[in-house]
């Protein structure tokens, strides 16, 4: 783990997506953070020690999903499958497939394995799986503010974790999609899917992969920021802010499904210039706590007392 010093910073962005607004001043106490996302090797030790069964390995209960199609109550998880050509980028189902038998041990489906992936981030992790691991190691999941503060690495007001250029002088600073999503990835960064942790430079706090590779769970329930004080309206930052509550995190577009959503941060290897430009510290996204995919992982923190 690496120590992240206490400090105050401007959280959010006014330049990209509405949910990142408004800019606001935030104070964060010092904490320790894992250098990297939790890897397959680390998660394997947890499972071997505890017998933990992940959400993706358990058949969903039809009572929790009123619109579940017949035959879908089988264990599985969401796997990214690229398309053959340009598609409507508002239709995510065109590149996401619910694969029966996909889980952390079988990231691309039942016939796949973790061979050669020991030092890659573990994926197909639902929020409760991440929380269980954190408890086992005596740690916690970071808050949204802690994650963003750590990702910025002390750089105030920069678009990316390393400055204002996505690829300064052509250098690949993180694992994201190069090319036209979701059908052409030039893999300029060397990786089509996840990459081994520490494949890209650490930031000034000695932390790796806070941008790209995999999205990461935080402890905060999803909430909008319309009610918070803007940076220009506040003389001092709110200290150690926390997210909202489960009830207010429900997806209003799915009123029959009462499943809470947590904030995920950092973007992933599927973020591209033409789609989901969330390879930035300010970026945030809501994710249902029961959801697991090929591009969501996590890391842990310890808060100093």
């Amino acid at each position: 783990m690496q120590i992240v010093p206490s400090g105050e910073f401007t959280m959010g962005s006014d330049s990209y997506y509405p949910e990142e607004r408004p800019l606001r001043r935030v104070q964060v106490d010092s904490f320790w953070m894992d250098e990297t996302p939790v890897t397959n090797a680390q998660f394997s030790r947890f499972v071997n020690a505890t017998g933990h069964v992940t959400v993706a390995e358990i058949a969903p209960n039809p009572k929790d999903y009123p619109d579940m199609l017949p035959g879908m109550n089988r264990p599985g998880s969401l796997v990214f499958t690229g398309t053959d050509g340009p598609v409507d980028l508002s239709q995510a189902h065109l590149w996401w497939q619910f694969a029966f038998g996909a889980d952390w041990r079988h990231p691309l489906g039942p016939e796949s394995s973790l061979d050669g992936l020991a030092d890659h981030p573990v994926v197909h992790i639902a929020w409760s799986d991440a929380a269980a691991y954190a408890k086992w190691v005596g740690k916690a999941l970071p808050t949204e503010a802690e994650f963003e503060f750590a990702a910025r690495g002390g750089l105030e007001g920069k678009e990316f974790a390393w400055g204002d250029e996505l690829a300064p002088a052509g250098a690949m600073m993180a694992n994201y999609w190069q090319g036209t999503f979701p059908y052409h990835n030039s893999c300029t960064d060397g990786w089509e899917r996840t990459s081994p942790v520490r494949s890209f430079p650490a930031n000034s706090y000695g932390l790796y992969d806070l941008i790209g590779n995999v999205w990461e769970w935080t402890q905060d329930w999803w909430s909008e920021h319309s009610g918070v004080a803007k940076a220009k309206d506040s003389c001092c930052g709110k200290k150690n802010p926390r997210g909202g509550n489960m009830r207010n995190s429900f997806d209003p577009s799915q009123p029959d499904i009462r499943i809470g959503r947590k904030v995920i941060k950092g973007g992933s290897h599927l973020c591209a210039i033409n789609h989901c430009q969330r390879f930035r510290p300010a970026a945030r996204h809501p994710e249902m706590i029961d959801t697991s995919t090929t591009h969501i992982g996590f890391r842990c923190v310890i808060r100093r007392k």
Side-chain angles (χ1 to χ4, degrees):
M1 304 185 83
Q2 293 288 344
I3 190 71
V4 178
S6 60
E8 183 172 332
F9 73 111
T10 300
M11 189 172 179
S13 171
D14 282 339
S15 302
Y16 287 84
Y17 299 102
E19 66 271 13
E20 300 169 15
R21 303 169 188 157
L23 296 176
R24 54 214 181 270
R25 294 297 290 174
V26 169
Q27 296 178 24
V28 176
D29 286 336
S30 180
F31 59 95
W32 292 89
M33 182 176 247
D34 289 346
E35 283 189 2
T36 73
V38 172
T39 64
N40 286 308
Q42 291 171 315
F43 198 77
S44 179
R45 289 194 287 272
F46 160 62
V47 170
N48 290 339
T50 65
H52 180 83
V53 179
T54 62
V55 171
E57 298 170 277
I58 302 171
N61 187 342
K63 293 181 180 179
D64 296 328
Y65 305 93
D67 298 324
M68 179 183 287
L69 297 174
M72 291 297 292
N73 57 329
R74 296 162 55 191
S77 190
L78 288 167
V79 174
F80 171 78
T81 55
T83 62
D84 294 330
V87 294
D88 181 351
L89 294 180
S90 69
Q91 304 297 313
H93 68 276
L94 297 174
W95 57 84
W96 284 111
Q97 174 187 357
F98 187 85
F100 297 124
D103 55 46
W104 74 273
R105 292 186 182 90
H106 309 94
L108 301 182
E111 303 304 316
S112 63
S113 73
L114 294 179
D115 290 348
L117 301 177
D119 57 351
H120 286 233
V122 65
V123 293
H124 296 297
I125 298 298
W127 188 86
S128 60
D129 302 320
Y133 177 96
K135 182 178 180 180
W136 179 68
V137 293
K139 302 179 184 180
L141 297 179
T143 66
E144 178 179 359
E146 287 170 340
F147 190 101
E148 183 167 335
F149 183 67
R152 290 184 180 276
L155 296 180
E156 178 69 17
K158 300 297 184 181
E159 295 287 356
F160 306 103
W162 45 86
D164 284 326
E165 292 184 66
L166 178 57
M172 294 291 100
M173 304 298 290
N175 180 355
Y176 60 92
W177 185 289
Q178 293 92 49
T180 308
F181 184 89
Y183 66 93
H184 171 65
N185 187 350
S186 66
C187 298
T188 306
D189 60 9
W191 302 96
E192 182 178 8
R193 291 183 181 268
T194 59
S195 52
V197 299
R198 300 187 179 88
S199 292
F200 299 89
N203 70 6
S204 63
Y205 295 153
L207 303 169
Y208 298 83
D209 283 343
L210 282 164
I211 298 299
N213 212 359
V214 293
W215 283 98
E216 299 185 32
W217 289 108
T218 72
Q219 77 170 34
D220 288 358
W221 293 110
W222 175 262
S223 63
E224 303 295 341
H225 293 311
S226 58
V228 305
K230 297 181 180 180
K232 65 180 181 179
D233 299 330
S234 177
C235 64
C236 53
K238 184 175 181 179
K239 191 170 184 179
N240 299 320
R242 299 294 189 264
N245 56 61
M246 183 176 69
R247 179 180 295 275
N248 290 335
S249 76
F250 295 152
D251 187 348
S253 70
Q254 301 184 70
D256 294 333
I257 298 181
R258 314 297 279 175
I259 297 173
R261 297 182 297 169
K262 294 279 187 174
V263 177
I264 56 174
K265 294 282 285 184
S268 79
H269 60 278
L270 299 181
C271 290
I273 291 175
N274 74 308
H275 176 69
C276 189
Q277 295 184 39
R278 292 184 171 89
F279 31 50
R280 299 169 293 104
R284 59 197 301 263
H285 191 70
E287 196 70 54
M288 287 186 176
I289 57 174
D290 65 333
T291 299
S292 59
T293 75
T294 46
H295 73 334
I296 299 178
F298 71 103
R299 78 179 72 206
C300 302
V301 300
I302 294 176
R303 297 181 183 96
R304 303 180 77 182
K305 298 180 180 179

